[in-house]
Amino acid sequence: MANIQFPQDFVWGTATASYQIEGAYQEDGRGLSIWDTFSHTPGNVFNGDTGDVACDSYHRYEEDIALLKRLGVKAYRFSIAWPRIYPQGTGELNEKGLDYYRRVVDALLAAGIEPCVTLYHWDLPQALQDKGGWANRDAIAAFTNYAETVFKAFDGKIKQWITFNETWCVSFLSNYIGAHAPGNRDLQLAVTIAHNCMVAHGEAVKKFRALGIQGEIGTTHNLYWFEPYTTKPEDVAAARRNRAYNNEWFMEPTFKGTYPPFMVDWFRAKGAEVPIEPGDMETIAQPIDFIGVNFYSGGFGRYKKDEGLFDCEEVQVGFDKTFMDWNVYPDGLYKVLSWVKEEYGDVPIYITENGACYDDELTADNRVHDARRADYYKKHFIQCHRLIESGVPLKGYFAWSLLDNFEWAEGYRKRFGIVYTNYETLERHPKDSYYFIQQVIKDNGFEA
């Protein structure tokens, strides 16, 4: 039995996102977001579900912070809803929106929990979308203005900032695949939006530095570990394209100020060009204090002509699957973060999301016996320990998610929480995985 022990300064946390938990979508001056529009459009979200109420965390945040305190976390990652701060995206500031987050931040600090804040977790003000959204470069200035407002309001209280969550989802998933708001299916649009969001990230970092804000700033990319099924050159190339779609396309600009040439060529052959303006790449590559990595899965691929965007088909190799039909691949976490260190140096890394969706049931004892989720976490914690022991600068881990919540296009049928949400009563019930993580945090380790 190996004793897995973490460094004393390792940051244990959990994470949520504004639209997924807050509800109160028309309260206290909040404007509409693209997710309000998307979820209220029939056919976009399973069962017609919306985030109108979600977990009602807007009114129940104290209860949620009490759950965090019981869990023992050092930090809590949550996002600020842009439409609560600027209902129209720009223009008039909504002080009631800032006041809500002041209450949340103060309650966290009183509980001894550090707030880690994401500025953009997908709830773009609909008023900006009506003007072209992220495809319109005016959104960059609007975002920078919003970021400046929040930086100033919380300087000294929030020490860790994340500009964007999963730019791949904001761009490709939402505007090429069309699965998320605003639901477009246009490759050029997706490539443009990916670029503009990364420029907006860089501008926010520049603003953070210029203002002299206390603390650290970074961004979060969702990385996926995709390997070739064989050593055949065509399989290696296909798998690399598929991996670069999530990884290099976003990491290379962030750290090196360039796009991978082989991907630029591939997208060009598909009719999409990156709309780079003078100074953009320098802006994107502003030095950051850490990189956030969201990791859920990985897989194996091989060349198949006309299969998807990259002539690559995934090969099933017998992985266990979560209820999202995602491969459970803990070793992929070790591989992808080792790759980050190898490619981009000793930048501090936080796992800003990792977790699993299963078909949970509340039993008569008001518990959820989610042994598979607890096992998922345990296996990924082991990989975190391997990484640290191998010299990878992994500084913290945020479990996704604190609560079962609005799972985007899947509505409420997919549960990622370590706390069960009863969507009829809004009662919260900690699951077995919650108590497993609680013990890991208490001991700062476990017996493997």
Side-chain angles (χ1 to χ4, degrees):
M1 299 281 280
N3 187 29
I4 304 293
Q5 201 66 40
F6 284 82
Q8 282 304 308
D9 60 352
F10 191 75
V11 176
W12 293 103
T14 184
T16 60
S18 49
Y19 189 75
Q20 292 183 274
I21 67 163
E22 285 179 359
Y25 85 112
Q26 287 184 313
E27 286 191 43
D28 292 336
R30 177 186 179 275
L32 293 179
S33 78
I34 56 174
W35 269 98
D36 296 297
T37 304
F38 188 79
S39 65
H40 280 260
T41 303
N44 283 340
V45 175
F46 177 79
N47 198 40
D49 292 340
T50 73
D52 294 2
V53 176
C55 306
D56 196 34
S57 201
Y58 190 81
H59 300 111
R60 295 168 182 259
Y61 68 89
E62 290 172 309
E63 184 181 347
D64 295 337
I65 292 170
L67 284 165
L68 289 164
K69 189 171 182 179
R70 270 176 68 196
L71 185 60
V73 294
K74 293 180 182 177
Y76 174 51
R77 177 183 176 232
F78 64 98
S79 73
I80 288 177
W82 186 351
R84 288 200 192 279
I85 311 304
Y86 287 102
Q88 299 302 307
T90 57
E92 192 172 343
L93 171 67
N94 177 33
E95 282 289 346
K96 286 185 177 179
L98 277 178
D99 286 343
Y100 166 67
Y101 293 109
R102 287 189 180 105
R103 294 193 296 272
V104 171
V105 168
D106 288 347
L108 285 166
L109 293 172
I113 299 165
E114 286 291 333
C116 169
V117 166
T118 304
L119 288 169
Y120 187 72
H121 202 131
W122 309 353
D123 39 6
L124 182 72
Q126 181 61 41
L128 292 183
Q129 183 62 38
D130 293 342
K131 299 173 185 174
W134 286 114
N136 181 346
R137 286 184 67 107
D138 289 348
I140 297 169
F143 178 76
T144 309
N145 174 66
Y146 151 65
E148 178 177 3
T149 298
V150 179
F151 290 152
K152 288 177 174 176
F154 294 99
D155 188 18
K157 288 192 173 182
I158 295 169
K159 304 286 178 60
Q160 193 169 44
W161 298 88
I162 293 167
T163 54
F164 278 73
N165 180 74
E166 299 185 345
T167 314
W168 179 86
C169 291
V170 178
S171 52
F172 291 105
L173 184 64
S174 304
N175 291 283
Y176 169 62
I177 298 169
H180 282 185
N184 297 310
R185 291 179 173 83
D186 183 313
L187 182 60
Q188 179 61 67
L189 185 65
V191 168
T192 298
I193 286 172
H195 180 72
N196 289 350
C197 286
M198 285 193 282
V199 174
H201 149 77
E203 291 291 355
V205 174
K206 283 162 62 173
K207 183 63 69 175
F208 182 88
R209 306 288 185 215
L211 293 169
I213 302 297
Q214 300 174 53
E216 299 181 329
I217 191 165
T219 191
T220 282
H221 295 314
N222 52 308
L223 304 185
Y224 187 85
W225 192 249
F226 209 75
E227 298 177 54
Y229 185 63
T230 77
T231 57
K232 294 176 185 174
E234 62 268 32
D235 288 351
V236 172
R240 188 181 181 209
R241 288 190 295 270
N242 215 58
R243 190 186 79 184
Y245 181 42
N246 275 87
N247 299 8
E248 285 93 325
W249 192 255
F250 299 95
M251 294 289 279
E252 292 283 311
T254 301
F255 288 105
K256 298 181 179 178
T258 58
Y259 285 101
F262 74 98
M263 289 292 285
V264 171
D265 293 343
W266 189 268
F267 281 135
R268 181 176 292 131
K270 299 287 183 180
E273 292 276 355
V274 189
I276 301 170
E277 294 192 6
D280 279 359
M281 301 314 293
E282 292 81 0
T283 295
I284 293 171
Q286 289 297 302
I288 53 177
D289 300 306
F290 65 90
I291 185 70
V293 173
N294 293 354
F295 177 84
Y296 289 98
S297 191
F300 289 80
R302 65 185 168 201
Y303 175 77
K304 185 179 180 183
K305 186 168 175 54
D306 298 328
E307 179 70 23
L309 185 57
F310 300 108
D311 293 355
C312 183
E313 70 167 348
E314 184 168 352
V315 183
Q316 298 301 324
V317 297
F319 285 116
D320 289 338
K321 303 269 190 177
T322 68
F323 198 51
M324 293 289 286
D325 200 36
W326 296 349
N327 296 330
V328 178
Y329 190 18
D331 196 44
L333 177 61
Y334 179 83
K335 291 176 178 178
V336 79
L337 294 192
S338 297
W339 170 80
V340 171
K341 174 180 162 54
E342 189 179 313
E343 285 292 317
Y344 306 109
D346 279 325
V347 58
I349 302 169
Y350 289 87
I351 296 168
T352 39
E353 289 181 26
N354 176 238
C357 173
Y358 290 108
D359 194 11
D360 299 321
E361 287 187 20
L362 192 65
T363 54
D365 61 355
N366 275 336
R367 287 283 287 269
V368 173
H369 302 296
D370 58 338
R372 286 183 296 174
R373 183 176 289 107
D375 185 62
Y376 179 99
Y377 279 118
K378 184 175 184 177
K379 287 175 177 174
H380 286 78
F381 293 166
I382 290 169
Q383 299 303 322
C384 291
H385 186 256
R386 280 185 72 201
L387 286 157
I388 294 166
E389 291 289 299
S390 299
V392 174
L394 178 61
K395 302 300 184 183
Y397 177 102
F398 292 81
W400 184 269
S401 174
L402 174 65
L403 302 167
D404 292 334
N405 54 48
F406 177 79
E407 186 45 44
W408 307 114
E410 297 289 348
Y412 294 104
R413 68 171 169 172
K414 299 292 176 75
R415 295 177 178 269
F416 275 89
I418 57 174
V419 174
Y420 182 92
T421 304
N422 181 324
Y423 293 117
E424 293 181 5
T425 65
L426 297 172
E427 289 176 299
R428 279 87 156 124
H429 302 278
K431 305 177 187 179
D432 286 359
S433 57
Y434 174 98
Y435 294 107
F436 168 71
I437 293 174
Q438 181 186 58
Q439 191 65 46
V440 170
I441 294 172
K442 183 182 176 186
D443 297 338
N444 203 30
F446 59 95
E447 292 292 328

